[in-house]
């Protein structure tokens, strides 16, 4: 397949490339198959409809475009989109409205990475009208800062752990006996004093034994806390996935079929396959998965563009945009690049502010 693709690309002259680009540009905008007359009228290629028609036949034979119906025009294939993304894509400049949205996020008083990512995802969905996917930040060598316990009722307790880098983790657990608020505060103070500055992955049994001794009678809380800390310590690779603007998918004619849309939503809910796909992006380079390249049958009509953000040496996360294969790749790449740059800038400002306040 790779050899055939390479041979096909080598045989594409400038005219064929321009016609392919015109087909992709028009189909992205209209979602309608593109005919030779449309290209001749809308794009100044300096050749007749008959010549364009012949070139389109060649492009179809090479596998870059397909004809969905006998009497219709052509639409790009996954291979055509791949060639477009790899060789013809030009990054757009953000428009004034999009710049305003980005500046709003930058200037907002954000003090947690999780909140920042939720807000970023919401804004990306608004800017692109696609679906945003982002992972919870993965923290390596996580430094414990403090813990807080919040009683939700007479049996459910929320454990809130704050780690270095403004990373917050929480979990709801059930207790057989719920201490009062003053006692919960005292328990959290003892634990925070004991564990502050410890690398979560390296908390040893001797330190845990000290907690059990210092908090005699509250073994259940200590045990549940340590289970949660163990979960955090073992979490690596891809963090839990979150979505924003999922319903945007329904606006595209590709997913007007109810059963098709349901199948896609179920796939997104499971997230396992998607997590594995996004975990492949371990560097800073942007990755584009087109149609069948995702390896997920239910997403064969979708494309995903992903990139990673980093903060220091320990915190990484993934953010991506999901849309139909005819997504506006140029816009998507521009928005993602801009957002990641600003995410990292906000995180740096947060860290600078924390260090200044702490000094």
């Amino acid at each position: 397949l790779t050899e055939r693709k390479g041979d096909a690309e080598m045989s594409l002259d400038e005219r064929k490339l321009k016609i392919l680009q015109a087909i992709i540009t028009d189909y992205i905008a209209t979602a309608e198959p593109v005919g030779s007359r449309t290209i001749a009228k809308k794009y100044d290629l300096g050749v007749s409809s008959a010549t364009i028609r012949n070139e389109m036949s060649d492009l179809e034979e090479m596998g870059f475009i397909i004809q969905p119906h006998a009497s219709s025009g052509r639409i790009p294939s996954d291979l055509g989109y791949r060639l477009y993304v790899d060789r013809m894509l030009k990054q757009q400049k953000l428009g004034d409205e999009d710049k305003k949205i980005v500046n709003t996020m930058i200037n907002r008083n954000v003090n947690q990475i999780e909140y920042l990512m939720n807000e970023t995802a919401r804004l990306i969905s608004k800017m692109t009208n696609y679906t945003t996917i982002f992972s919870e930040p993965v923290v390596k060598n996580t430094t414990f800062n403090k813990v807080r316990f919040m009683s939700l009722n007479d049996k459910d307790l929320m454990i809130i752990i704050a780690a270095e880098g403004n990373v917050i983790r929480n979990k709801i657990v059930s207790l057989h006996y719920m201490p009062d608020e003053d006692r919960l505060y005292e328990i959290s103070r003892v634990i925070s004093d004991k564990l502050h500055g410890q690398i979560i992955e390296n908390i040893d049994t001797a330190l845990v034994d000290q907690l059990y001794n210092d908090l005699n009678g509250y073994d259940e809380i200590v045990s549940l806390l340590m289970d949660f800390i163990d979960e955090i310590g073992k979490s690596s690779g891809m963090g839990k996935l979150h979505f924003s603007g999922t319903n945007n998918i329904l606006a595209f004619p590709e997913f007007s079929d109810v059963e098709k849309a349901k199948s896609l939503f179920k796939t997104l809910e499971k997230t396992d396959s998607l997590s594995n796909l996004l975990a492949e992006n371990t560097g800073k380079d942007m990755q584009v998965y087109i149609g069948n390249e995702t390896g997920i049958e239910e997403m064969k009509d979708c494309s995903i563009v992903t990139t990673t953000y980093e903060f220091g040496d320990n915190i990484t996360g993934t953010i991506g945009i999901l849309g139909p294969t005819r997504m506006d790749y140029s816009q998507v790449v521009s928005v993602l690049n801009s957002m990641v740059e600003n995410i990292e800038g906000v995180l740096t400002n947060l860290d600078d502010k924390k260090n200044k306040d702490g000094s």
Side-chain angles (χ1 to χ4, degrees), residues 183-217:
R183 191 57 186 155
L184 284 175
Y185 173 78
E186 184 61 22
I187 294 169
S188 68
R189 186 192 63 78
V190 171
I191 295 172
S192 296
D193 288 347
K194 188 71 69 176
L195 298 184
H196 179 78
Q198 294 289 326
I199 302 296
I200 284 179
E201 294 89 337
N202 297 338
I203 294 175
D204 58 24
T205 54
L207 201 51
V208 176
D209 288 341
Q210 289 179 33
L211 283 178
Y212 279 113
N213 288 332
D214 293 346
L215 295 169
N216 186 30

Side-chain angles (χ1 to χ4, degrees), residues 281-287 306-310 337 340 344:
N281 189 357
T282 56
K284 291 288 288 180
D285 292 339
M286 198 164 290
Q287 299 290 328
T306 73
T307 191
T308 58
Y309 63 89
E310 295 177 356
N337 275 332
V340 167
E344 293 175 340

Side-chain angles (χ1 to χ4, degrees), residues 69-334:
H69 307 291
S71 59
S72 70
R74 269 67 163 192
I75 66 174
S77 66
D78 289 356
L79 186 62
Y81 284 123
R82 171 50 61 195
L83 179 63
Y84 172 77
V85 168
D86 290 346
R87 289 181 54 181
M88 293 183 272
L89 191 65
K90 293 181 180 179
Q91 189 171 329
Q92 297 178 6
K93 290 185 178 180
L94 290 184
D96 291 340
E97 187 62 31
D98 286 344
K99 286 180 182 177
K100 190 182 298 182
I101 292 173
V102 173
N103 288 331
T104 299
M105 184 197 77
I106 296 170
N107 296 324
R108 191 160 294 169
N109 184 23
V110 177
N111 56 17
Q112 291 181 17
I113 294 180
E114 289 84 352
Y115 177 81
L116 171 64
M117 294 312 301
N118 274 294
E119 190 67 5
T120 299
R122 185 184 68 79
L123 293 175
I124 289 176
S125 293
K126 181 179 179 181
M127 292 164 71
T128 63
N129 292 319
Y130 298 129
T131 299
T132 309
I133 310 166
F134 68 98
S135 68
E136 290 183 352
V138 174
V139 185
K140 300 175 183 177
N141 299 323
T142 316
T143 302
F144 188 98
N145 188 0
K146 61 183 177 181
V147 65
R148 182 185 173 196
F149 299 111
M150 182 183 298
S151 61
L152 304 179
N153 50 51
D154 60 359
K155 68 173 184 176
D156 292 326
L157 178 74
M158 178 178 284
I159 304 174
I160 306 168
I161 292 178
E164 185 181 29
N166 299 288
V167 175
I168 307 294
R169 291 283 186 265
N170 60 72
K171 182 179 182 180
I172 298 174
V173 297
S174 294
L175 299 179
H176 290 96
Y177 165 72
M178 180 69 68
D180 61 33
E181 291 297 328
D182 289 342
R183 191 57 186 155
L184 284 175
Y185 173 78
E186 184 61 22
I187 294 169
S188 68
R189 186 192 63 78
V190 171
I191 295 172
S192 296
D193 288 347
K194 188 71 69 176
L195 298 184
H196 179 78
Q198 294 289 326
I199 302 296
I200 284 179
E201 294 89 337
N202 297 338
I203 294 175
D204 58 24
T205 54
L207 201 51
V208 176
D209 288 341
Q210 289 179 33
L211 283 178
Y212 279 113
N213 288 332
D214 293 346
L215 295 169
N216 186 30
Y218 298 99
D219 289 6
E220 186 178 27
I221 290 179
V222 175
S223 177
L224 290 168
L225 170 68
M226 296 316 300
D227 286 344
F228 185 28
I229 287 177
D230 189 51
E231 287 177 22
I232 297 172
K234 288 179 178 177
S235 65
S236 60
M238 179 62 56
K240 182 180 177 183
L241 293 186
H242 298 273
F243 299 86
S244 182
T246 307
N247 288 337
N248 288 347
I249 293 170
L250 299 176
F252 297 100
E254 291 90 336
F255 302 100
S256 58
D257 181 278
V258 175
E259 292 305 316
K260 189 175 181 181
K262 280 183 180 178
S263 179
L264 178 59
F265 283 137
K266 285 180 181 178
T267 300
L268 296 182
E269 286 174 4
K270 292 176 183 175
T271 73
D272 289 349
S273 298
L274 204 50
S275 292
N276 293 334
L277 180 70
L278 268 58
E280 294 177 7
N281 189 357
T282 56
K284 291 288 288 180
D285 292 339
M286 198 164 290
Q287 299 290 328
V288 182
Y289 302 93
I290 300 169
N292 288 310
E293 292 178 359
T294 65
I296 304 170
E297 173 63 23
E298 295 80 3
M299 298 182 68
K300 64 183 180 181
D301 295 316
C302 299
S303 286
I304 304 174
V305 182
T306 73
T307 191
T308 58
Y309 63 89
E310 295 177 356
F311 175 53
D313 296 325
N314 295 331
I315 299 176
T316 61
T318 301
I319 187 163
I321 297 178
L322 166 70
T325 52
R326 64 175 186 89
M327 69 161 55
D328 188 341
Y329 294 96
S330 180
Q331 180 205 25
V332 165
V333 169
S334 301

